[in-house]
Amino acid sequence: MDNKPEWEEHLSAPPADGFTPQLMRRIAEQSRKRTESGKPAIPAFRLASLAAGLALVIALLMGKEDIVRYFSGKSAAGISDAGGYFAHKEGGDLAWWQKKKAAALTKEEQTLAGAVVSIMTRDIGTFGRKAGIDAYFDPAMLHLKDLLADYDASSPRLTEAYVLEQTEDSEGTIFKIGTVLATGIPGDPGYEGSFTMHVNRTSGKIDALSVEKTVERTG
Amino acid sequence: MDFEYLNYLGEGHNKDQILQDLMTAYGQDVWNFAFSLTRHRDAADDIAQECFLKAYRNLESFRGKSSVKTWLLTITKNAVRDYRRSAFIRKVTLMDKLPRGEAGGSLSAEQEALDQIVADAVWRKVLALPAKYRAVLVLYAHHQLSMEEISQLLSISVGTVKSRLFRARQRVTAMIEEDM
């Protein structure tokens, strides 16, 4: 195995000098603050995840009407609440979404339910592979399905999905979907996350997608 | 610096001093591993911070099953995983609505930024490798970890470590030959 190529010698030196005295001071300062306050210091990227997770928890704890109010307050400018065919926080396991797909009345409803079923059955085919979910994407936006890579795994896998938010913009409908992922390990609470998709009104296809977060469940 | 005493930490130890010592001894290792995995300076800063604060919080739980360096690099790897999962880098932007070609500009800007940080041509090629090959090669060639340590750190078999190292070397050698 140890037939080292000559160029490997270069790698004994670091690629860059990034651990600066300023960063060291920043960390020491954070740890002191933590000791004084008794609270953990949290980096910006972790805060972003936690804030998003907190929003999800708040949403799940609130009643149906409250959720509508909560999210309508968070809507971006120019986006209005859709009357919609999905009740907020509506959703469930694979059987629920299969039933919804079979009973879908509109193109957008069909696309959302079909895409969720594809994700739950891992018919995603990220990174260039063809799969069932392709039928629900605008062909020019098919690369966006790569963002679903976290869901294209045997563990943790998506077991439940809920419509947390449904809004309309001038081109179609934005669905924010809350997800529950299970690992199959006894006692493991698993993960929760969300993704948001924009379904174009004319084509009935997904033309924008984001996978906002996947965080460990706390209990 | 010898961190053997971490195995026997009792009440009243000076955690701030230990943190200082850990950062002095392993700060560059942690930062460079985070940078190798993320290829972003700011992300490496955040992850190094997260790593040392986590180590600080969990000093008492270190029981010497691995070396201190491997312990810190494992925390770093987990922090990178969390970073990748975080909303921070997963936010939908208008760029997502653009076809691939039109969004390509940001990739070259990213490459340019990377080239400014990393002077060595071989390192640039290593950083261009897919993440799974990059991690193994960096841990082996730069951090001097054994196959067994890499296997534990990345939660993969020793056989997989060997095959990834083989392929990583193959790819970098091919890239170097292409340039000649």
Side-chain angles (χ1 to χ4, degrees), chain A:
Chain A
M1 186 76 228
D2 243 313
N3 215 347
K4 280 187 189 175
E6 267 180 40
W7 53 259
E8 207 164 292
E9 294 300 318
H10 284 253
L11 304 184
S12 57
D17 284 329
F19 198 74
T20 58
Q22 290 86 341
L23 177 57
M24 204 160 155
R25 272 197 297 276
R26 194 171 95 194
I27 296 170
E29 183 66 24
Q30 289 284 344
S31 70
R32 265 193 298 278
K33 278 185 190 164
R34 186 258 176 193
T35 310
E36 284 160 15
S37 69
K39 290 176 186 170
I42 304 169
F45 74 84
R46 185 59 69 81
L47 271 177
S49 273
L50 290 175
L54 183 63
L56 181 66
V57 171
I58 291 168
L60 291 172
L61 288 174
M62 287 196 281
K64 182 175 156 185
E65 292 77 15
D66 290 334
I67 286 172
V68 175
R69 248 198 327 271
Y70 176 81
F71 277 116
S72 57
K74 300 286 173 193
S75 294
I79 295 175
S80 62
D81 277 348
Y85 21 80
F86 281 97
H88 293 270
K89 214 180 150 188
E90 191 179 16
D93 60 8
L94 177 61
W96 190 93
W97 283 98
Q98 280 172 328
K99 206 183 285 181
K100 196 77 189 175
K101 183 182 169 188
L105 297 174
T106 67
K107 279 191 289 190
E108 285 154 287
E109 187 175 358
Q110 173 76 33
T111 292
L112 172 63
V116 172
V117 167
S118 294
I119 297 168
M120 282 183 164
T121 54
R122 290 186 54 211
D123 193 8
I124 306 172
T126 45
F127 305 112
R129 287 176 293 123
K130 289 181 180 173
I133 202 170
D134 297 2
Y136 305 109
F137 273 91
D138 178 328
M141 296 292 131
L142 198 52
H143 62 276
L144 293 178
K145 72 175 184 170
D146 291 354
L147 296 172
L148 293 165
D150 276 1
Y151 290 101
D152 199 4
S154 57
S155 180
R157 66 185 302 159
L158 179 60
T159 52
E160 292 168 51
Y162 298 90
V163 179
L164 296 180
E165 183 184 6
Q166 183 181 330
T167 50
E168 278 184 358
D169 65 8
S170 57
E171 294 171 21
T173 305
I174 300 161
F175 296 103
K176 187 181 178 78
I177 308 298
T179 56
V180 177
L181 297 91
T183 62
I185 300 167
D188 184 351
Y191 296 84
E192 58 195 15
S194 74
F195 57 84
T196 304
M197 56 173 63
H198 182 267
V199 182
N200 186 281
R201 191 173 298 115
T202 312
S203 66
K205 306 285 185 188
I206 300 163
D207 59 6
L209 173 74
S210 73
V211 179
E212 287 95 0
K213 58 192 174 285
T214 307
V215 294
E216 285 178 42
R217 301 182 92 192
T218 50

Side-chain angles (χ1 to χ4, degrees), chain B residues 2-155:
Chain B
D2 185 7
F3 287 96
E4 178 71 18
Y5 65 87
L6 285 183
N7 294 333
Y8 316 106
L9 278 186
E11 290 296 315
H13 53 270
N14 185 343
K15 284 181 79 169
D16 290 335
Q17 186 56 53
I18 296 171
L19 175 67
Q20 203 67 29
D21 292 345
L22 285 174
M23 288 196 291
T24 304
Y26 298 113
Q28 290 298 349
D29 280 329
V30 164
W31 190 92
N32 276 302
F33 187 45
F35 177 72
S36 301
L37 296 181
T38 61
R39 299 184 286 205
H40 285 276
R41 184 181 276 279
D42 292 345
D45 283 359
D46 281 349
I47 288 160
Q49 175 175 316
E50 166 76 344
C51 170
F52 282 111
L53 291 176
K54 205 165 197 174
Y56 179 85
R57 287 198 294 275
N58 295 292
L59 276 178
E60 292 84 355
S61 67
F62 178 75
R63 284 293 171 265
K65 283 181 184 168
S66 61
S67 69
V68 173
K69 181 173 165 178
T70 312
W71 178 56
L72 290 171
L73 292 179
T74 304
I75 299 174
T76 307
K77 178 209 72 174
N78 291 336
V80 169
R81 182 199 60 198
D82 292 345
Y83 169 79
R84 284 180 174 149
R85 282 182 172 157
S86 74
F88 191 70
I89 57 167
R90 291 287 174 95
K91 266 197 256 175
V92 70
T93 64
L94 279 176
M95 293 298 280
D96 288 337
K97 284 200 163 196
L98 294 173
R100 263 182 204 280
E102 291 175 42
S106 64
L107 278 177
S108 62
E110 205 172 283
Q111 186 59 47
E112 211 171 285
L114 192 64
D115 289 351
Q116 279 177 1
I117 300 168
V118 183
D120 187 272
V122 175
W123 262 111
R124 286 185 200 174
K125 289 176 173 44
V126 170
L127 293 176
L129 288 172
K132 63 180 183 181
Y133 298 132
R134 201 183 332 139
V136 169
L137 182 57
V138 169
L139 288 170
Y140 185 79
H142 178 66
H143 296 287
Q144 311 276 306
L145 263 52
S146 69
M147 299 281 178
E148 288 73 21
E149 285 174 316
I150 298 171
S151 152
Q152 282 173 14
L153 198 155
L154 298 178
S155 305

